[in-house]
């Protein structure tokens, strides 16, 4: 792209004529690369950091916090009821079999085989 | 601690607590049932909506029946022992073995008849609708089972 501003042309000329006289500190390049590596390694945690930041910004709001707690409580109640229903059903079946075995000795023999 | 994370963890704890509380409350009657000396009879009481008086009578019938059942089982056991001895000393079906087999079959038939009689007594102790349901269920579970032997010829 060509510079259209006359000031840019002057600046470009100055930059062209500039001579760097300052020497770089020892292992400057290594330091730069190390910083780049650190930045890249740090970028792996971006998702976690974003999630944490979202939680920190969203959950403390009173309405969202109460909705969140109510929803998890409902999930817990449903889960407890479902598990209890399964356990009760299995227990009822086991007890009915036990009753049958207590009155019919041949059932005990069959079930033990 | 950060407030958002605290609420997040609190939610998980609330959920787990609710699940545990509901589970304990819903299975309390079953857990109490298992601590009883005869949980199968408590199951019968709950399943067929028996009153305390009906349950007491059925428990009494069950105890009497169990005692008689045990005696019949001992008779069959001694007949089995005799049969084993006869089979060990004979190489063909002797009249004595035939007699013992018939005697053992008769004892087994007595067992089934006594069991059926017990079912009738129990069903008569219940209200008619529940009694009929019990009788159908008990017969299906006992006398109705074991059809595999007869059905094998259909294959």
């Amino acid at each position: 792209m060509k510079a259209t501003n006359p000031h840019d042309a002057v600046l470009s000329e100055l930059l062209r004529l500039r001579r760097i006289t300052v020497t770089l500190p020892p292992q400057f390049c290594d330091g730069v690369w190390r910083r780049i590596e650190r930045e890249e390694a740090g970028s792996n945690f971006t998702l976690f950091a974003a999630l944490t930041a979202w939680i920190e910004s969203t959950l403390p709001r009173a309405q969202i916090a109460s909705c969140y707690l109510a929803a998890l409580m409902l999930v817990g109640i449903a889960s407890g009821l479902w598990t209890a229903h399964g356990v009760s059903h299995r227990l009822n079946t086991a007890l009915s079999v036990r009753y049958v075995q207590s009155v019919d000795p041949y059932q005990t023999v069959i079930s033990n085989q | 601690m950060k407030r958002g994370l605290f609420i997040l963890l609190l939610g998980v704890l609330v959920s787990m607590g609710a699940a545990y509380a509901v589970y304990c409350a819903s299975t309390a009657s079953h857990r109490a049932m298992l601590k009883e000396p005869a949980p199968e009879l408590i199951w019968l009481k709950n399943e067929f909506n028996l009153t305390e008086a009906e349950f007491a009578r059925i428990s009494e019938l069950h105890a009497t029946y169990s005692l008689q059942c045990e005696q019949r089982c001992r008779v069959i056991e001694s007949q089995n022992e005799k049969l084993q001895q006869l089979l060990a000393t004979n190489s063909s079906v002797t009249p004595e073995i035939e007699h013992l087999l018939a005697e053992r079959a008769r004892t087994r038939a007595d067992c089934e008849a006594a069991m059926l009689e017990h079912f009738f007594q129990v069903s008569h102790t219940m209200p008619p609708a529940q009694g009929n349901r019990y009788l159908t269920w008990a017969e299906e579970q006992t006398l109705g089972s074991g059809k595999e032997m007869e059905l094998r010829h259909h294959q």
Side-chain angles (χ1 to χ4, degrees):
Chain A
M1 183 189 282
K2 283 187 177 179
T4 51
N5 192 332
H7 291 293
D8 286 351
V10 174
L11 182 64
S12 298
E13 185 58 24
L14 280 171
L15 284 171
R16 197 176 60 79
L17 293 171
R18 186 170 176 263
R19 291 284 178 272
I20 299 166
T21 53
V22 180
T23 53
L24 291 171
Q27 295 178 336
F28 176 81
C29 287
D30 287 349
V32 171
W33 279 115
R34 270 198 296 274
R35 279 178 63 192
I36 290 169
E37 280 171 5
R38 269 204 302 273
E39 287 294 321
E40 282 178 354
S43 67
N44 291 338
F45 294 98
T46 306
L47 184 67
F48 177 74
L51 192 67
T52 312
W54 181 78
I55 288 167
E56 284 304 326
S57 64
T58 313
L59 273 186
R61 290 181 207 163
Q63 279 185 335
I64 291 174
S66 33
C67 283
Y68 166 75
L69 290 177
L72 278 198
M73 187 182 271
L74 284 176
V75 167
I77 289 170
S79 154
L81 279 174
W82 187 67
T83 313
H85 176 74
V87 167
S88 301
H89 180 72
R90 278 198 297 277
L91 207 57
N92 274 336
T93 308
L95 286 173
S96 73
V97 169
R98 197 164 150 172
Y99 174 76
V100 171
Q101 287 176 349
S102 75
V103 288
D104 184 357
Y106 294 110
Q107 292 276 336
T108 318
V109 175
I110 290 164
S111 67
N112 286 343
Q113 281 173 354
Chain B
M1 195 178 186
K2 291 178 177 177
R3 208 171 156 209
L5 284 176
F6 172 74
I7 294 168
L8 187 83
L9 287 177
L10 185 68
V12 173
L13 286 177
V14 163
S15 182
M16 287 168 71
Y20 182 72
V22 168
Y23 174 81
C24 286
S26 303
T27 55
S29 60
H30 279 93
R31 280 183 284 117
M33 199 195 291
L34 287 175
K35 286 178 187 166
E36 295 288 331
E40 64 274 14
L41 289 181
I42 308 286
W43 168 81
L44 192 77
K45 182 188 175 193
N46 295 338
E47 179 66 27
F48 294 96
N49 304 316
L50 303 178
T51 62
E52 285 300 327
E54 288 162 352
F55 176 65
R57 173 75 185 130
I58 286 171
S59 298
E60 200 180 310
L61 286 172
H62 188 84
T64 311
Y65 169 79
S66 296
L67 201 66
Q68 292 166 351
C69 179
E70 195 182 328
Q71 286 166 355
R72 281 188 293 271
C73 280
R74 283 193 190 140
V75 171
I76 294 174
E77 199 181 350
S78 74
Q79 287 170 337
N80 282 341
E81 281 171 13
K82 271 186 200 169
L83 188 64
Q84 288 298 320
Q85 285 167 5
L86 287 173
L87 291 175
T89 52
N90 291 287
S91 57
S92 62
V93 182
T94 62
E96 199 179 1
I97 291 175
E98 264 185 11
H99 174 74
L100 191 58
L101 284 173
E103 200 180 342
R104 192 181 67 162
R106 201 162 40 247
T107 316
R108 284 181 171 177
D110 287 348
C111 275
E112 285 198 316
M115 183 173 70
L116 196 57
E117 180 59 32
H118 175 68
F119 291 155
F120 283 126
Q121 284 179 343
V122 170
S123 73
H124 291 155
T125 310
M126 294 178 179
Q130 297 291 11
N132 285 336
R133 189 164 75 86
Y134 167 80
L135 205 56
T136 309
W137 173 80
E139 286 170 3
E140 265 175 23
Q141 297 296 313
T142 55
L143 301 170
S145 64
K147 287 175 182 168
E148 291 79 9
M149 188 181 81
E150 296 89 334
L151 290 174
R152 73 197 165 118
H153 295 292
H154 295 293
Q155 288 170 354

